[in-house]
Amino acid sequence: MFYWIMKNVIVGPLVTTIFRPWVVGAENVPAHGAAIIASNHLSVIDSIFLPLYLNRRISFLAKSDYFTGKGIKGWATRAFMTATGQIPIDRSGGKASEASLNTGLAVLGRGEMLGIYPEGTRSPDARMYRGRTGVARMVLEARVPIIPVVMVNTEHIMPIGTRLPHIKRPGLIFGEPLDFSRFEGLEGDRFILRSVTDELMYELQRLSQQEYVDVYATSVKDKQARVSR
């Protein structure tokens, strides 16, 4: 109920009036049944625009740090994450990664939609980076369609490091569902997982026309952090 109220009564009408987003290909999102929505990731505000323009509820896997803050700011962050369908996960790797995978599979097992950013983190410079193979494992294990979607212009609305958004029009482009049924039963093959992930990233790059960089975005961010010290 809280999610519905925030989306349809409070946040949704306000955001729509202020930003006037444009949408292409919304008919490619299935009206029912489990599915994965895989998006590029340019800004933290992506997780606001994407749920607002889907007729169905969508759940995202978000790092658990967003849910553990203290004070008024911590409460506000938790409320925002809950309102936009975020599910807390531990991104520290190892067993935590397996737990995150199982959390996503549980969402799909309930016949719901799961939102994933295959790059694993926001792009540090609006380019597209190498995808993580966790999304491929979910697709093959759950045997669900995956719909690519690209966010347009959101990096200019709320650049990394800013607290308040700039008033610009964002766009959402939904591509046609991708079918990976030919790889059914091969979710344990790392080469297949990489192939599926790369095919997804190619489609996202084609839709977005972003420059593609074949390294992980986290590697670039870690390097930038070391240089700035």
Side-chain angles (χ1 to χ4, degrees):
M1 178 61 73
F2 182 53
Y3 178 95
W4 187 92
I5 292 174
M6 291 295 289
K7 175 180 176 179
N8 297 286
V9 179
I10 301 175
V11 177
L14 181 63
V15 170
T16 301
T17 300
I18 294 174
F19 293 98
R20 300 180 298 113
W22 53 268
V23 182
V24 174
E27 67 277 4
N28 290 322
V29 180
H32 52 80
I36 293 176
I37 305 295
S39 174
N40 63 339
H41 199 10
L42 299 172
S43 169
V44 67
I45 209 166
D46 294 339
S47 296
I48 297 179
F49 289 124
L50 186 50
L52 287 180
Y53 292 92
L54 291 171
N55 292 327
R56 300 173 56 192
R57 175 167 182 157
I58 181 171
S59 298
F60 289 90
L61 302 181
K63 60 182 179 181
S64 56
D65 296 9
Y66 289 132
F67 295 82
T68 57
K70 301 184 182 299
I72 296 177
K73 182 179 179 180
W75 174 86
T77 301
R78 285 194 299 275
F80 169 77
M81 289 294 167
T82 301
T84 53
Q86 314 284 322
I87 299 174
I89 60 168
D90 183 348
R91 290 184 174 178
S92 59
K95 291 183 179 179
S97 297
E98 192 68 24
S100 300
L101 175 72
N102 292 333
T103 299
L105 290 173
V107 172
L108 297 170
R110 296 194 295 268
E112 300 173 4
M113 287 203 308
L114 179 69
I116 295 179
Y117 298 116
E119 293 165 276
T121 187
R122 284 174 289 168
S123 170
D125 53 18
R127 296 187 294 177
M128 181 171 289
Y129 287 85
R130 199 176 198 215
R132 301 281 181 173
T133 58
V135 62
R137 282 193 60 188
M138 288 189 194
V139 169
L140 298 184
E141 288 197 25
R143 300 179 183 179
V144 297
I146 182 166
I147 297 88
V149 57
V150 296
M151 312 301 296
V152 180
N153 206 38
T154 54
E155 75 276 22
H156 299 300
I157 295 174
M158 199 161 185
I160 293 175
T162 59
R163 294 186 176 182
L164 296 175
H166 305 299
I167 308 302
K168 299 178 183 292
R169 288 193 75 186
L172 295 86
I173 303 174
F174 293 91
E176 295 183 0
L178 300 178
D179 179 13
F180 293 109
S181 59
R182 64 190 183 278
F183 297 125
E184 188 174 302
L186 297 175
E187 58 270 14
D189 188 320
R190 63 188 180 92
F191 296 105
I192 293 296
L193 296 181
R194 174 46 58 192
S195 177
V196 168
T197 305
D198 288 346
E199 186 174 332
L200 167 63
M201 299 311 295
Y202 173 83
E203 182 62 12
L204 287 172
Q205 192 278 330
R206 187 187 70 82
L207 291 170
S208 69
Q209 295 298 300
Q210 291 171 258
E211 179 184 349
Y212 180 76
V213 185
D214 195 25
V215 297
Y216 292 120
T218 50
S219 299
V220 175
K221 288 185 174 182
D222 289 344
K223 183 178 180 179
Q224 291 176 341
R226 289 194 298 270
V227 171
S228 63
R229 287 174 187 170

